[in-house]
Amino acid sequence: MALVFDQSMSDYIFPVAVIGGGSAGVMAVLRTVLNNDETLFFPGSAQDKKRSRALWVAKVENVPGHLGYKKGIEQPNRESLQWLSEGPQKDKLHWKKNIGITSVKKDDDGVFTLIDSKGESWRAKYVILATGVMDVQPVINGSIEEIFPYANAQTADYCLRCDGHHVLGKKTAVIGHTNGAAWVAVMLYERYKTPKMSVLTHNQKSEINGDVLDLCKKYGIEIIEGEIVSVMGKDNGKTLEGFQLADGTVHEYEWSFVSLGMIVYNELAKSLNCELDDRGFVIGDGKGMTSVEGCYVAGDLRANVKKQIYTAWDTAVDSADAINAKLRSQARATS
């Protein structure tokens, strides 16, 4: 259902704008367009995409139907968008390829004004924020470049639920210094009985304490303090052999997990004064409505949801359907 609020494109108010091109953003677009709602879609600029979590995900093994893709998020997303752009509802999709949003504000009339990365202005009745998160990378010798080959080859993993099964039968290290990192080590050990499990605090003093410290001792999980100065491996990251520390010691591992926290891309939400939790995730109600009327949040950006493809889809569908219900109600009242 395309609602024409103004015939001038400079003042035209689109029913929905979706910001973010990951799993949540693409599902939000898929659902809004299939709901027959005219949709502005900003997947992000080249710079936005470089800092996207989706960029670093290769194989997706815990979602049915994704095993055949070399890039387990990007390729199926492109297929869906291409199908929409060529289908019977293609006129409902306004896909602004390689363009992101730099600012968004809610005007006095309740409509959102968005400024894109090319400086153009757009207006929308409803907005779905799906700008996502990124995992904090270990800085080694002043750079995060050293971990990238292993992240790309997935011998350095980040998501326990997505990739924990990789450690089966492998000597494994978790990089981190908090109780959260220790719990990752404990859970991996308990599930897969790894032949060796360690926590490398990487030049940070260990903050591991309480019950999880007791479990580390019980399972023989060594907590090693010291700066990582080299990641050892071969085959462009496909084979991890271990880590060398600043004191010269070498610790052999076949797999690793990084547990240093997340960067939450909440800049647009903050500019709208959306309510955030203490970690910076955006709080939404059961349908993803934020504390700002008309602004919804979906995917990893949303507080209190699993950071998974399937939960991103679920939150996106909830938001898209809630917006459609409001649009239909408004149209019904004026018909």
Side-chain angles (χ1 to χ4, degrees):
M1 173 176 56
L3 301 183
V4 179
F5 292 88
D6 194 304
Q7 293 299 324
S8 168
M9 283 306 292
S10 61
D11 294 324
Y12 184 84
I13 301 174
F14 288 85
V16 192
V18 176
I19 305 172
S23 297
V26 170
M27 179 55 77
V29 170
L30 188 65
R31 189 66 263 153
T32 53
V33 172
L34 294 180
N35 284 347
N36 221 28
D37 295 331
E38 194 169 4
T39 302
L40 264 175
F41 175 42
F42 299 94
S45 65
Q47 183 177 359
D48 294 329
K49 291 176 182 178
K50 284 181 180 179
R51 64 179 200 158
S52 165
R53 199 182 197 193
L55 181 67
W56 305 106
V57 176
K59 286 286 186 181
V60 173
E61 298 163 336
N62 67 328
V63 178
H66 280 56
L67 281 171
Y69 296 101
K70 289 184 179 179
K71 294 294 290 182
I73 293 178
E74 290 189 335
Q75 286 176 282
N77 281 355
R78 281 200 300 269
E79 284 185 3
S80 292
L81 292 170
Q82 194 63 37
W83 175 73
L84 276 182
S85 69
E86 296 170 355
Q89 292 165 292
K90 61 185 179 183
D91 292 340
K92 305 296 184 187
L93 174 61
H94 301 269
W95 181 6
K96 305 302 177 182
K97 296 181 180 179
N98 300 314
I99 296 177
I101 293 297
T102 59
S103 71
V104 56
K105 67 176 182 178
K106 190 174 184 182
D107 302 329
D108 292 340
D109 58 0
V111 176
F112 294 91
T113 294
L114 300 84
I115 307 299
D116 71 24
S117 51
K118 291 190 173 181
E120 294 188 40
S121 177
W122 307 87
R123 304 192 80 203
K125 183 72 173 174
Y126 296 98
V127 170
I128 300 176
L129 297 177
T131 47
V133 303
M134 184 62 175
D135 301 281
V136 176
Q137 305 293 336
V139 176
I140 299 171
N141 296 322
S143 172
I144 59 176
E145 297 287 335
E146 191 153 348
I147 200 67
F148 281 173
Y150 302 90
N152 288 333
Q154 291 187 286
T155 50
D157 283 322
Y158 299 82
C159 175
L160 180 74
R161 187 172 284 109
C162 305
D163 301 313
H165 56 280
H166 290 162
V167 309
L168 184 65
K170 302 290 195 303
K171 298 175 182 177
T172 304
V174 176
I175 300 173
H177 62 281
T178 65
N179 276 0
W183 275 117
V184 169
V186 165
M187 290 173 71
L188 289 171
Y189 178 82
E190 288 181 337
R191 286 180 178 173
Y192 305 107
K193 296 298 184 289
T194 53
K196 177 182 178 181
M197 177 65 69
S198 306
V199 177
L200 305 181
T201 69
H202 187 30
N203 208 32
Q204 297 290 323
K205 185 174 177 58
S206 174
E207 298 175 5
I208 300 166
N209 58 68
D211 291 345
V212 71
L213 179 59
D214 292 338
L215 286 171
C216 286
K217 293 176 180 177
K218 176 181 177 180
Y219 297 141
I221 297 172
E222 189 177 7
I223 299 169
I224 302 171
E225 293 185 341
E227 181 184 3
I228 298 169
V229 295
S230 178
V231 186
M232 303 181 304
K234 56 187 179 183
D235 303 326
N236 199 28
K238 291 180 181 178
T239 301
L240 175 68
E241 296 176 315
F243 299 92
Q244 182 176 356
L245 303 188
D247 63 5
T249 59
V250 172
H251 300 267
E252 296 182 357
Y253 302 101
E254 300 163 275
W255 220 267
S256 63
F257 264 79
V258 177
S259 184
L260 295 172
M262 289 181 177
I263 301 167
V264 185
Y265 295 137
N266 58 14
E267 296 90 346
L268 296 178
K270 288 169 72 173
S271 72
L272 286 167
N273 292 319
C274 296
E275 185 181 0
L276 310 178
D277 70 8
D278 58 1
R279 297 176 63 196
F281 294 100
V282 181
I283 295 171
D285 66 11
K287 298 296 184 182
M289 172 86 88
T290 71
S291 57
V292 176
E293 180 74 25
C295 178
Y296 289 75
V297 59
D300 289 352
L301 181 65
R302 182 171 164 180
N304 302 315
V305 296
K306 297 181 183 70
K307 310 309 178 187
Q308 296 288 293
I309 293 171
Y310 41 83
T311 46
W313 290 342
D314 189 42
T315 57
V317 169
D318 280 348
S319 293
D321 284 353
I323 290 170
N324 176 261
K326 289 179 182 292
L327 291 170
R328 288 186 291 106
S329 177
Q330 294 160 13
R332 192 184 310 133
T334 57
S335 61

